[in-house]
Each structure stands twice: as structure tokens, then as C-alpha cells.
Amino acid sequence: MTTRDRYMLELEGMLKVIPEAQRKEWLYDYYIHFQLAVENGQSEEDAARELGDPKIIANELLLGYRVNQAESNSSFGKLSKAVFSTVSLGLFNVIFILGPYLALAAVLLALWVSAVAMGIASVGVIVESWLNDTFTIPQALTIGLIISALTILLVIGLKALTGAFYKMTLKYLKFNTRIIRGNNK
């Protein structure tokens, strides 16, 4: 098996999660690199060394793909995959991406759970007062209405905060990708 074949098989194996059309397009570019190198009198070994480690290349390609997916399809699942793809590129990214991402995501989750709990509490106050006469019905309705209004305000704020978190995380991942690739534009 030639150096090119081993290199391409390794690269293809690490890119299995990418849709076939995109994967073939990327692999074609690397195949052409080997072909041009040989045509210019360069050995396949030199061409492979010039390209670099296929694991690093695959991780960078996966990162770009995941970031583009997260950008085009706003879901935390896609964003998390992009974050974890970034983390695979080194210890620096574990510290400066994964840690803050998980901490902020946990805070957002806790705030959303609090909003749901407040919504349930507004109904709970009314039901509790109706069953056990804790408050008069007008008092219970007033308290329930106030808690409901606060819940609505919290949900509106959390929706904006969650959107900003998503956009800022994507922006940071793109910045980090440019730094990794050596393109500081």
C-alpha cells in the first residue's frame, strides 16, 4: 500500500461522520495534492509530510464543519458538537473553551429550570389556596398573576440571553478556528 493510500484511508476513516458528498470533495482535494506533488517530482512521503498529520487535518475539518452546522441550524446539540470538536484540538481548548462553555450552559439550564419552577409555583399558589385556604381566592389569584408575570419576564430575558450565548459561542469558535489554522484575519 502506498503512502498516499495509507494517508487517504486514515483521513477518510476519521471523516466518516461527514456526509459522503462533502467528505469526497475534501478527500479529492488531498488526493489532487498528492497527484500534483508526484507530477512535480516530489515523493509521496514528502507530500504527506507537507500536508501534516491526518488526525490534525481531520479534527480541523470536523471543527469547521461542526461550526458551519451550528451556524446554519441553531440547536444546542450542534453547538455542543462544535465545542467538543474544538476541544479535540488541544489542551488549550479544553481549558479556554470547554470549561467556560459547560459552566455557562449549566447556569443557563439552571435559570430555565427556575423559570419553569416559577410557572408551576404560580399555579401551585392558586391550587394550594383553593384546597387549604392559605390565602383568599383574590389574594391567591393576585399572587399567581404576579408570579406568572415574573415568569414571562424571566422567559423573555432568558430567550435573549440564550440567543446571545449561542451567537457568542459560535463567534468564539470561529475565532479559535482561525487561530488554529494560522489565519488571523
Side-chain angles (χ1 to χ4, degrees), residues 83 86-87 90-102 104 169 172-173 175-176:
V83 167
T86 304
V87 169
L91 179 63
F92 174 84
N93 290 329
V94 170
I95 296 167
F96 290 101
I97 293 178
L98 185 61
Y101 174 77
L102 291 176
L104 290 172
T169 301
Y172 184 73
L173 289 175
F175 167 75
N176 191 278

Side-chain angles (χ1 to χ4, degrees), residues 96-143:
F96 290 101
I97 293 178
L98 185 61
Y101 174 77
L102 291 176
L104 290 172
V107 168
L108 276 175
L109 179 63
L111 288 170
W112 277 106
V113 168
S114 298
V116 170
M118 282 179 63
I120 293 169
S122 67
V123 174
V125 166
I126 297 168
V127 171
E128 169 66 22
S129 293
W130 182 62
L131 294 175
N132 296 325
D133 292 327
T134 307
F135 298 107
T136 63
I137 295 300
Q139 289 173 329
L141 289 174
T142 303
I143 293 170

Side-chain angles (χ1 to χ4, degrees), residues 18-47:
I18 304 296
E20 186 176 354
Q22 180 71 54
R23 185 176 66 242
K24 283 185 177 185
E25 181 180 326
W26 288 344
L27 292 172
Y28 179 75
D29 291 342
Y30 288 93
Y31 179 80
I32 291 298
H33 179 82
F34 276 104
Q35 185 177 347
L36 290 174
V38 170
E39 288 175 5
N40 291 325
Q42 193 177 17
S43 70
E44 287 185 354
E45 290 80 12
D46 289 341

